[in-house]
Amino acid sequence: MSKKKPTLKDIAEIAEVSVATVSWAINGTKARIPQKTRAKIIKIAKEIGYRPNVLARNLVQGKTDLIGFVTDDVATSPFAGEIIAGAQEEAWKSNKILLIVNTDGKKEVEDNALKMMKEQQVQGIIYSTWYHRKVTSPSLFAEIPSLFVNCYSQQEDYMAVVPNEVQGGRTATDLLIKAGHKRIAFINTTSVSPAQSDRLQGYKDALKNANLTYDDALVIYAKPNQEGGYDVANSIIGLGVSAVFCHNDRVAMGLYDGLRKRNVKIPADISIVGFDNQEIIAEHLHPKLTTVALPHYNLGAIGVQQLLQKIEEHQIFDKKKLIKVNCPLITRNSIRKLRKEEKPL
């Protein structure tokens, strides 16, 4: 038979005080209890193995240690799950727990999840998407401290923590320029998104900073997947470039296949840099792909840091407050330093 769980009444009988006094002492209530009595009650509670009912205490106090985390697909996507890892570890540092709901992009599930979180008295809410994009602010955000991670409000009325796509594009292009490449192609995506416009802007900025002329003919648009990269291999060869910045690692993987079929060697004949750092791709290509990583872990961690600050300050609205997190460079083997006397393909 299982041993009976110790109760407040058990402690009260041993300490020879009322149950109310025990409750006040254990829950840290600001009641006029002598310090000696409070210490005695805590000591007895530890000795008999008493464990407080945290949920009941939180309901009485009208608050919990929960942070709501609503996502459309972050929990199941292979690399964006790092957002949850960063958020979770940062929450634990402050003794907070994430209440995570994956909506699979379904509005009804999202609405029910937010309603449930309000009922559970979460301290704040993080709303995250698996790719960087614009979203509509849930109405509940006007009632509870909330912010966006890896997405931003269409109304620009709440704080958002997002990747610095411009910096990422500039970093990728800078690396190729520093390796001696001057004629650099950029394979951009056909999908409209912050990644499409901002990575292109970073590419342009890097060329301008190096006094290299931007040539619109060197920007090719392709589907953001392996087939897209494969399909533009002929076009890349026809451009006579020595290096290519790919919109993402999947495009780079397809370009690898397309160039290899045409006996173009990487990086001997052409250097390639990707974006996203999807390790299952980048780490296992031959040669391994140099790429710029999306800062998923840091997005989650910084999101929790900012949310806890909002909770502390009882802050709801954050008009146009956008926090951009830099994208780190991951150097591998797909780039070769070009000698001055060499000419592109």
Side-chain angles (χ1 to χ4, degrees):
M1 294 179 65
S2 60
K3 188 177 179 180
K4 182 184 175 182
K5 186 177 180 179
T7 64
L8 293 178
K9 185 177 180 181
D10 296 330
I11 300 172
E13 290 176 353
I14 297 171
E16 298 180 337
V17 296
S18 68
V19 173
T21 299
V22 173
S23 178
W24 291 335
I26 289 177
N27 292 316
T29 306
K30 293 181 179 179
R32 293 185 177 179
I33 305 172
Q35 185 58 38
K36 184 177 180 180
T37 302
R38 189 186 298 271
K40 179 182 178 181
I41 290 171
I42 298 299
K43 183 174 182 291
I44 292 172
K46 289 182 179 179
E47 288 175 348
I48 69 173
Y50 173 77
R51 295 288 182 273
N53 187 326
V54 177
L55 179 59
R57 183 184 66 193
N58 287 337
L59 290 174
V60 170
Q61 295 177 346
K63 65 177 184 179
T64 69
D65 292 323
L66 297 174
I67 292 175
F69 192 104
V70 179
T71 167
D72 62 347
D73 208 21
V74 168
T76 57
S77 59
F79 61 98
E82 281 291 303
I83 292 177
I84 289 180
Q88 196 161 250
E89 290 188 24
E90 193 63 33
W92 284 340
K93 292 178 185 178
S94 299
N95 296 315
K96 308 296 182 184
I97 299 173
L98 288 189
L99 180 59
I100 303 169
V101 176
N102 193 86
T103 68
D104 199 26
K106 297 175 182 176
K107 186 67 168 60
E108 183 180 358
V109 176
E110 177 184 302
D111 291 341
N112 289 335
L114 291 167
K115 181 181 178 182
M116 176 269 292
M117 288 178 178
K118 182 180 179 181
E119 292 172 350
Q120 293 297 322
Q121 300 176 337
V122 296
Q123 291 190 353
I125 294 174
I126 289 176
Y127 186 105
S128 183
T129 55
W130 80 270
Y131 73 92
H132 183 190
R133 61 187 176 92
K134 185 186 294 185
V135 296
T136 301
S137 302
S139 59
L140 186 60
F141 272 32
E143 303 176 36
I144 300 173
S146 308
L147 56 76
F148 295 100
V149 166
N150 206 39
C151 54
Y152 59 99
S153 168
Q154 190 167 352
Q155 297 86 355
E156 297 185 329
D157 45 5
Y158 297 101
M159 179 184 293
V161 182
V162 299
N164 192 337
E165 306 275 10
V166 174
Q167 168 271 323
R170 187 171 58 246
T171 295
T173 311
D174 276 341
L175 181 66
L176 294 169
I177 293 171
K178 289 175 182 177
H181 300 277
K182 295 182 179 180
R183 190 166 173 78
I184 303 167
F186 175 38
I187 302 177
N188 204 358
T189 177
T190 53
S191 303
V192 177
S193 65
Q196 182 199 52
S197 57
D198 291 359
R199 292 176 193 179
L200 174 60
Q201 186 59 54
Y203 167 79
K204 290 179 178 180
D205 290 349
L207 295 176
K208 183 178 180 180
N209 293 340
N211 295 317
L212 296 174
T213 302
Y214 168 74
D215 184 352
D216 194 55
L218 297 185
V219 178
I220 296 177
Y221 289 84
K223 292 179 292 185
N225 53 31
Q226 185 176 2
E227 289 74 19
Y230 184 87
D231 289 342
V232 298
N234 273 338
S235 298
I236 290 295
I237 294 172
L239 290 174
V241 297
S242 63
V244 183
F245 166 31
C246 295
H247 172 77
N248 64 31
D249 295 345
R250 289 177 296 159
V251 169
M253 178 170 61
L255 183 60
Y256 265 53
D257 292 340
L259 293 177
R260 185 174 291 113
K261 186 175 181 180
R262 293 158 178 83
N263 297 316
V264 177
K265 298 178 181 178
I266 306 166
D269 297 323
I270 195 164
S271 293
I272 296 177
V273 60
F275 207 111
D276 288 353
N277 192 36
Q278 289 188 316
E279 290 192 29
I280 195 169
I281 295 174
E283 184 68 28
H284 298 286
L285 288 175
H286 299 284
K288 295 181 179 180
L289 179 66
T290 291
T291 186
V292 174
L294 283 167
H296 288 118
Y297 183 92
N298 287 341
L299 291 175
I302 293 171
V304 169
Q305 291 170 7
Q306 293 296 322
L307 182 61
L308 292 178
Q309 184 175 327
K310 287 187 64 171
I311 292 168
E312 182 70 23
E313 297 172 356
H314 304 287
Q315 186 179 6
I316 298 292
F317 293 98
D318 312 273
K319 196 68 175 176
K320 295 184 179 179
K321 187 165 185 182
L322 195 66
I323 297 174
K324 295 185 177 182
V325 183
N326 281 352
C327 304
L329 178 67
I330 310 298
T331 305
R332 296 192 178 94
N333 310 115
S334 61
I335 295 177
R336 181 176 71 88
K337 191 168 184 178
L338 199 66
R339 295 189 298 272
K340 290 183 179 180
E341 65 274 13
E342 286 188 269
K343 293 182 179 180
L345 288 174

